Amino acid sequence: MDTDTAVQIIDTSLLLAEPEDIRSEIRSLTHEISSKFLRLAQLLRAVQKGRLYIVWGFDSFEAWATGDTDLHPETARTFVALERTLVEDAQIPRGLLAEIGWTKAKPLITLAKQGKLEGRKAEILSQAQALPTAQFKDYVEQVRATVTYELFPSPATRPVVRPAALSDDDGALGALAALYQRTPLLAGY
């Protein structure tokens, strides 16, 4: 059977299927993807941590991933980071990660590596469960910005440019000199 015939069979079966059957199969396949990405992450971490790639004749994890699995090295490293950072370090249960899914777990890696998951882990994981992927990614960006501001608040306690106190008897040069001395951005030059 060639590819075109297989596609026609799939298309015909979808036309005859009940909408709820299609919906149910989509949910089932989605769950399978989630459980399989976690298992893949776990296995890749075992290969990397145990340096099994050397036993198989490869010099590096990346060379093994490319040569033996057809995974791009960056993809393989992302899966390893997911297992190491979220499961091992942050102690997030795999069942919860399976529920959250790959597309929402990936931004959590960055938050965890930057130390921005600690202290807000329950809140962030709750949002990961509740929000659609696009909204969750926006939420993660807000968390990153909020935490950054909490760590490095802007020094807005005083205005950047202070008003110059000029008198009527200062000439144009006196006004410029006073302005120059009172402007913090210019005073250092």
Side-chain angles (χ1 to χ4, degrees), residues 31 34 38 87 92-101 129:
H31 180 72
S34 291
L38 287 168
V87 175
I92 299 173
R94 282 190 185 90
L96 181 56
L97 288 172
E99 184 181 327
I100 289 171
Q129 290 173 293

PDB file of all heavy atoms in Angstrom, residues 31 34 38 87 92-101 129:
ATOM      1  N   HIS A  31      -2.271  11.882  25.815  1.00  0.00           N
ATOM      2  CA  HIS A  31      -1.745  11.270  27.041  1.00  0.00           C
ATOM      3  C   HIS A  31      -0.527  10.399  26.726  1.00  0.00           C
ATOM      4  O   HIS A  31       0.460  10.403  27.461  1.00  0.00           O
ATOM      5  CB  HIS A  31      -2.830  10.454  27.736  1.00  0.00           C
ATOM      6  CG  HIS A  31      -2.340   9.804  28.986  1.00  0.00           C
ATOM      7  ND1 HIS A  31      -2.073  10.518  30.131  1.00  0.00           N
ATOM      8  CD2 HIS A  31      -2.037   8.507  29.260  1.00  0.00           C
ATOM      9  CE1 HIS A  31      -1.635   9.690  31.061  1.00  0.00           C
ATOM     10  NE2 HIS A  31      -1.603   8.469  30.559  1.00  0.00           N
ATOM     11  N   SER A  34       2.539  12.540  26.275  1.00  0.00           N
ATOM     12  CA  SER A  34       3.054  13.019  27.555  1.00  0.00           C
ATOM     13  C   SER A  34       3.826  11.939  28.289  1.00  0.00           C
ATOM     14  O   SER A  34       4.918  12.180  28.801  1.00  0.00           O
ATOM     15  CB  SER A  34       1.911  13.528  28.439  1.00  0.00           C
ATOM     16  OG  SER A  34       1.378  14.703  27.897  1.00  0.00           O
ATOM     17  N   LEU A  38       8.197  11.777  28.897  1.00  0.00           N
ATOM     18  CA  LEU A  38       8.811  11.603  30.215  1.00  0.00           C
ATOM     19  C   LEU A  38       9.714  10.379  30.260  1.00  0.00           C
ATOM     20  O   LEU A  38      10.801  10.415  30.832  1.00  0.00           O
ATOM     21  CB  LEU A  38       7.736  11.497  31.295  1.00  0.00           C
ATOM     22  CG  LEU A  38       7.033  12.806  31.614  1.00  0.00           C
ATOM     23  CD1 LEU A  38       5.802  12.559  32.464  1.00  0.00           C
ATOM     24  CD2 LEU A  38       7.983  13.756  32.310  1.00  0.00           C
ATOM     25  N   VAL A  87      12.633  16.857  37.586  1.00  0.00           N
ATOM     26  CA  VAL A  87      12.329  15.655  38.372  1.00  0.00           C
ATOM     27  C   VAL A  87      13.324  15.478  39.510  1.00  0.00           C
ATOM     28  O   VAL A  87      12.935  15.347  40.668  1.00  0.00           O
ATOM     29  CB  VAL A  87      12.284  14.391  37.468  1.00  0.00           C
ATOM     30  CG1 VAL A  87      12.093  13.133  38.296  1.00  0.00           C
ATOM     31  CG2 VAL A  87      11.179  14.522  36.430  1.00  0.00           C
ATOM     32  N   ILE A  92       9.562  17.566  41.080  1.00  0.00           N
ATOM     33  CA  ILE A  92       8.212  17.609  40.524  1.00  0.00           C
ATOM     34  C   ILE A  92       7.852  16.187  40.097  1.00  0.00           C
ATOM     35  O   ILE A  92       8.600  15.575  39.335  1.00  0.00           O
ATOM     36  CB  ILE A  92       8.120  18.579  39.331  1.00  0.00           C
ATOM     37  CG1 ILE A  92       8.477  19.997  39.776  1.00  0.00           C
ATOM     38  CG2 ILE A  92       6.718  18.549  38.708  1.00  0.00           C
ATOM     39  CD1 ILE A  92       8.588  21.002  38.638  1.00  0.00           C
ATOM     40  N   PRO A  93       6.748  15.648  40.583  1.00  0.00           N
ATOM     41  CA  PRO A  93       6.381  14.271  40.228  1.00  0.00           C
ATOM     42  C   PRO A  93       6.162  14.107  38.723  1.00  0.00           C
ATOM     43  O   PRO A  93       5.604  14.987  38.066  1.00  0.00           O
ATOM     44  CB  PRO A  93       5.070  14.045  40.994  1.00  0.00           C
ATOM     45  CG  PRO A  93       5.024  15.095  42.036  1.00  0.00           C
ATOM     46  CD  PRO A  93       5.803  16.261  41.507  1.00  0.00           C
ATOM     47  N   ARG A  94       6.601  12.976  38.202  1.00  0.00           N
ATOM     48  CA  ARG A  94       6.440  12.708  36.770  1.00  0.00           C
ATOM     49  C   ARG A  94       4.971  12.713  36.358  1.00  0.00           C
ATOM     50  O   ARG A  94       4.637  13.122  35.255  1.00  0.00           O
ATOM     51  CB  ARG A  94       7.086  11.372  36.405  1.00  0.00           C
ATOM     52  CG  ARG A  94       8.567  11.428  36.295  1.00  0.00           C
ATOM     53  CD  ARG A  94       9.141  10.146  35.703  1.00  0.00           C
ATOM     54  NE  ARG A  94      10.586  10.215  35.734  1.00  0.00           N
ATOM     55  CZ  ARG A  94      11.314   9.782  36.760  1.00  0.00           C
ATOM     56  NH1 ARG A  94      10.748   9.229  37.799  1.00  0.00           N
ATOM     57  NH2 ARG A  94      12.627   9.898  36.712  1.00  0.00           N
ATOM     58  N   GLY A  95       4.096  12.228  37.225  1.00  0.00           N
ATOM     59  CA  GLY A  95       2.662  12.227  36.914  1.00  0.00           C
ATOM     60  C   GLY A  95       2.145  13.634  36.659  1.00  0.00           C
ATOM     61  O   GLY A  95       1.346  13.854  35.750  1.00  0.00           O
ATOM     62  N   LEU A  96       2.597  14.578  37.455  1.00  0.00           N
ATOM     63  CA  LEU A  96       2.194  15.975  37.268  1.00  0.00           C
ATOM     64  C   LEU A  96       2.774  16.529  35.972  1.00  0.00           C
ATOM     65  O   LEU A  96       2.087  17.225  35.219  1.00  0.00           O
ATOM     66  CB  LEU A  96       2.643  16.825  38.452  1.00  0.00           C
ATOM     67  CG  LEU A  96       2.275  18.306  38.417  1.00  0.00           C
ATOM     68  CD1 LEU A  96       0.774  18.507  38.252  1.00  0.00           C
ATOM     69  CD2 LEU A  96       2.780  18.999  39.662  1.00  0.00           C
ATOM     70  N   LEU A  97       4.021  16.185  35.682  1.00  0.00           N
ATOM     71  CA  LEU A  97       4.620  16.628  34.418  1.00  0.00           C
ATOM     72  C   LEU A  97       3.901  16.021  33.223  1.00  0.00           C
ATOM     73  O   LEU A  97       3.730  16.677  32.203  1.00  0.00           O
ATOM     74  CB  LEU A  97       6.114  16.281  34.379  1.00  0.00           C
ATOM     75  CG  LEU A  97       6.999  17.113  35.298  1.00  0.00           C
ATOM     76  CD1 LEU A  97       8.413  16.561  35.326  1.00  0.00           C
ATOM     77  CD2 LEU A  97       6.995  18.571  34.888  1.00  0.00           C
ATOM     78  N   ALA A  98       3.451  14.768  33.364  1.00  0.00           N
ATOM     79  CA  ALA A  98       2.690  14.137  32.278  1.00  0.00           C
ATOM     80  C   ALA A  98       1.389  14.883  32.057  1.00  0.00           C
ATOM     81  O   ALA A  98       0.961  15.096  30.921  1.00  0.00           O
ATOM     82  CB  ALA A  98       2.420  12.674  32.602  1.00  0.00           C
ATOM     83  N   GLU A  99       0.762  15.306  33.142  1.00  0.00           N
ATOM     84  CA  GLU A  99      -0.488  16.060  33.031  1.00  0.00           C
ATOM     85  C   GLU A  99      -0.245  17.434  32.402  1.00  0.00           C
ATOM     86  O   GLU A  99      -1.018  17.894  31.564  1.00  0.00           O
ATOM     87  CB  GLU A  99      -1.101  16.230  34.423  1.00  0.00           C
ATOM     88  CG  GLU A  99      -2.449  16.902  34.414  1.00  0.00           C
ATOM     89  CD  GLU A  99      -3.004  17.068  35.821  1.00  0.00           C
ATOM     90  OE1 GLU A  99      -2.739  16.214  36.687  1.00  0.00           O
ATOM     91  OE2 GLU A  99      -3.708  18.066  36.041  1.00  0.00           O
ATOM     92  N   ILE A 100       0.838  18.076  32.792  1.00  0.00           N
ATOM     93  CA  ILE A 100       1.175  19.398  32.263  1.00  0.00           C
ATOM     94  C   ILE A 100       1.534  19.306  30.779  1.00  0.00           C
ATOM     95  O   ILE A 100       1.120  20.127  29.982  1.00  0.00           O
ATOM     96  CB  ILE A 100       2.342  20.016  33.064  1.00  0.00           C
ATOM     97  CG1 ILE A 100       1.859  20.404  34.458  1.00  0.00           C
ATOM     98  CG2 ILE A 100       2.930  21.214  32.345  1.00  0.00           C
ATOM     99  CD1 ILE A 100       2.962  20.807  35.392  1.00  0.00           C
ATOM    100  N   GLY A 101       2.326  18.309  30.424  1.00  0.00           N
ATOM    101  CA  GLY A 101       2.712  18.120  29.031  1.00  0.00           C
ATOM    102  C   GLY A 101       4.044  18.765  28.692  1.00  0.00           C
ATOM    103  O   GLY A 101       4.550  19.631  29.413  1.00  0.00           O
ATOM    104  N   GLN A 129      -1.255  23.672  35.011  1.00  0.00           N
ATOM    105  CA  GLN A 129      -2.378  22.750  34.835  1.00  0.00           C
ATOM    106  C   GLN A 129      -3.612  23.465  34.291  1.00  0.00           C
ATOM    107  O   GLN A 129      -4.356  22.903  33.498  1.00  0.00           O
ATOM    108  CB  GLN A 129      -2.725  22.090  36.165  1.00  0.00           C
ATOM    109  CG  GLN A 129      -1.676  21.108  36.648  1.00  0.00           C
ATOM    110  CD  GLN A 129      -1.993  20.621  38.040  1.00  0.00           C
ATOM    111  OE1 GLN A 129      -1.953  21.377  39.005  1.00  0.00           O
ATOM    112  NE2 GLN A 129      -2.310  19.338  38.138  1.00  0.00           N
TER     113      GLN A 129
END
